[in-house]
Amino acid sequence: MTRFVLVAGAWLGAWAWDEVAAELRATGHEAYPLTLSGLAEKRGVPAGLQTHVQDIVEEVERLDLREVVLVGHSYSGVPVGQAAERIGDRLGRVVLVDANVPVDGESFLAGWPSDFVREAIAAHDGFWPCPDPAEFAGQGLTDDQVARLVAGATAHPGATLTEPAVLTRPFGELPGTYVKCLLDGEEPWGAAAEVLKSERWNLVDLDTGHWPMFSRPRELAGILAASTKGT
């Protein structure tokens, strides 16, 4: 039995993990989906990047979790990666699902090819607005899945995307698994490629798009369970 804390990416809350969490629990694991400050039922709570890091650390400590697997999807790879370092010997493993990798001194938006996200944040009172349904095309989602995703999405606090990460050692020193969703590009990008050179990390491919908790929840749950064996 393994304990998982599940953190979804931009715009999403704990609800995004409903199907994955059910699959994990059905096979004897414990699953704790977490909503970060400013999103879903925590909408309106002020949040910067370090707020989100602390949300994760406090959840692990509140539940008194040991050998915990922290799972970060997309944006949430950045706060999850920092939290993984801060919880010390409580950590079992990190799993990043098509996620950004934290780099000390760099923000989530570092390396993005244009300023469109910053411009969107500036134009929407400090929030990254939710995407239109058309932006989910080509990601292996059914119309119903897209509708559910869009209906539950919350404008994302912009400060969490623009503030720099803080790490005290190379991220690749932590044990981890990177799940690459192939419909969103076949190669891990940015800092993920460097982290995967570490002997403590492994790469798993999943033939779906960027939101596998909706498109392939059973398969994703299986990968998470297998990650505890380092495979």
Side-chain angles (χ1 to χ4, degrees), residues 20 26 36-37 40 60 78 80 82 86 94 100 127 165 175 184 186 208:
V20 172
L36 297 175
S37 296
V60 171
V78 178
V80 160
Q82 293 170 84
R86 295 183 196 180
V94 183
N100 291 68
F127 289 86
D184 199 48
E186 294 187 357
T208 191

Side-chain angles (χ1 to χ4, degrees), residues 145-209:
Q145 288 166 344
V146 171
R148 180 176 168 232
L149 203 163
V150 172
T154 312
H156 192 95
T160 68
L161 309 173
T162 59
E163 293 176 355
V166 180
L167 295 171
T168 61
R169 59 174 172 154
F171 185 59
E173 292 181 2
L174 298 176
T177 296
Y178 193 96
V179 182
K180 185 70 196 80
C181 298
L182 298 177
L183 294 182
D184 199 48
E186 294 187 357
E187 299 293 333
W189 72 283
E194 186 65 28
V195 167
L196 284 165
K197 295 177 182 178
S198 169
E199 294 181 353
R200 306 203 73 188
W201 279 75
N202 66 298
L203 174 66
V204 179
D205 290 337
L206 183 56
D207 190 15
T208 191

Side-chain angles (χ1 to χ4, degrees), residues 18-168:
D18 285 352
E19 293 175 80
V20 172
E23 293 284 348
L24 289 171
R25 291 165 183 153
T27 54
H29 300 291
E30 294 181 13
Y32 302 98
L34 175 64
T35 293
L36 297 175
S37 296
L39 297 161
E41 71 274 15
K42 296 180 182 177
R43 184 181 312 184
V45 177
L49 177 57
Q50 296 309 312
T51 314
H52 283 178
V53 175
Q54 194 60 27
D55 286 342
I56 300 162
V57 171
E58 288 178 354
E59 183 73 350
V60 171
E61 293 176 346
R62 183 183 71 83
L63 297 169
D64 195 22
L65 301 179
R66 304 283 174 173
E67 289 298 309
V68 63
V69 177
L70 296 184
V71 181
H73 162 251
S74 192
Y75 152 76
S76 286
V78 178
V80 160
Q82 293 170 84
E85 180 181 85
R86 295 183 196 180
I87 63 174
D89 61 6
R90 290 179 180 271
L91 180 70
R93 195 170 189 85
V94 183
V95 181
L96 299 185
V97 180
D98 225 34
N100 291 68
V101 171
V103 176
D104 184 51
E106 294 188 2
S107 73
F108 166 79
L109 293 177
W112 280 55
S114 75
D115 289 332
F116 79 94
V117 177
R118 292 181 187 275
E119 292 167 357
I121 292 170
H124 291 85
D125 297 322
F127 289 86
W128 190 12
C130 307
D132 294 327
E135 296 184 47
F136 297 97
Q139 296 294 320
L141 296 161
T142 66
D143 289 346
D144 286 346
Q145 288 166 344
V146 171
R148 180 176 168 232
L149 203 163
V150 172
T154 312
H156 192 95
T160 68
L161 309 173
T162 59
E163 293 176 355
V166 180
L167 295 171
T168 61

